[in-house]
Amino acid sequence: MIPIEDVDDFIILRARAFTSKIRRAVMRDVLQDEDLALLEWQLLFSIARFGTCHLAYITQHTSLDPAHGSRAATALEKAGLIERHDDPDNRRRKLISLTPQGITTVERVWPRAQRLIRSVTDTLDATDFNELKRLFDLLNAAATRIGEGGALGDEQKQQEVSRTKVSARA
């Protein structure tokens, strides 16, 4: 039904396979002993990266879904790894920051996560690794345009809608 060469060029399958393998390795080799879920680690890492900020800032600048980020923040707060406090500029919003225990956790987990990722990226020489980062940046920019509704021109969008309607009737 779908030609194999089309499947081979469907980049999302390759990206999904790679990220799934890395996620499983991080969960198994880094986070399991910490009793941290992957999303919790991503949020903890993001707070360490950005500093004290709003959850909305983190979700806007990372791949974290706002609802999942909120649940992860609640779990991290219950575990004593983050704290929420009033934003002095906007009392309706909360700022989140690492607690001393959260800082200790990041300092313990981050080097292990780096070593695991390096075990994969060290298979590339410096030129290939820089090219991979450049290509990821290009693809992320294109994916951002898709998210903003700018991937397809108006004429192409109309053709896609028409094909979908025809397929649905068939």
Side-chain angles (χ1 to χ4, degrees):
M1 183 177 216
I2 299 174
I4 191 69
E5 57 274 3
D6 289 351
V7 173
D8 281 348
D9 289 344
F10 198 56
I11 194 71
I12 195 169
L13 295 177
R14 291 174 190 254
R16 174 76 184 209
F18 174 75
T19 57
S20 291
K21 290 171 187 168
I22 294 295
R23 285 172 170 257
R24 281 193 304 272
V26 167
M27 289 185 311
R28 180 192 64 232
D29 298 342
V30 177
L31 300 178
Q32 187 173 17
D33 294 339
E34 297 293 333
D35 196 29
L36 279 173
L38 186 60
L39 284 172
E40 293 167 5
W41 166 246
Q42 288 175 310
L43 181 57
L44 206 61
F45 167 78
S46 295
I47 298 167
R49 175 182 175 205
F50 298 123
T52 299
C53 60
H54 301 105
L55 181 59
Y57 179 86
I58 293 172
T59 60
Q60 289 168 358
H61 292 86
T62 66
S63 61
L64 285 177
D65 173 76
H68 292 132
S70 180
R71 283 193 289 276
T74 298
L76 291 171
E77 187 175 28
K78 285 180 182 174
L81 300 175
I82 68 167
E83 59 188 3
R84 299 181 210 218
H85 42 91
D86 291 334
D87 180 344
D89 297 328
N90 183 344
R91 290 282 200 205
R92 293 173 296 175
R93 299 184 80 176
K94 297 286 186 184
L95 293 169
I96 55 177
S97 58
L98 297 175
T99 63
Q101 183 182 350
I103 292 168
T104 300
T105 301
V106 170
E107 289 173 342
R108 184 176 55 248
V109 173
W110 177 237
R112 291 172 35 213
Q114 284 181 298
R115 276 193 303 276
L116 183 130
I117 298 305
R118 261 197 314 273
S119 73
V120 174
T121 59
D122 281 354
T123 62
L124 302 173
D125 65 29
T127 302
D128 287 342
F129 185 59
N130 287 328
E131 180 67 2
L132 177 65
K133 291 188 296 185
R134 186 186 73 77
L135 293 171
F136 272 137
D137 290 344
L138 284 172
L139 291 173
N140 278 318
T144 298
R145 286 192 303 277
I146 289 171
E148 295 169 353
L152 302 174
D154 288 337
E155 182 179 324
Q156 193 172 356
K157 284 181 189 177
Q158 187 57 45
Q159 290 172 357
E160 291 291 327
V161 169
S162 296
R163 276 196 290 260
T164 302
K165 287 179 182 176
V166 170
S167 296
R169 283 183 264 172

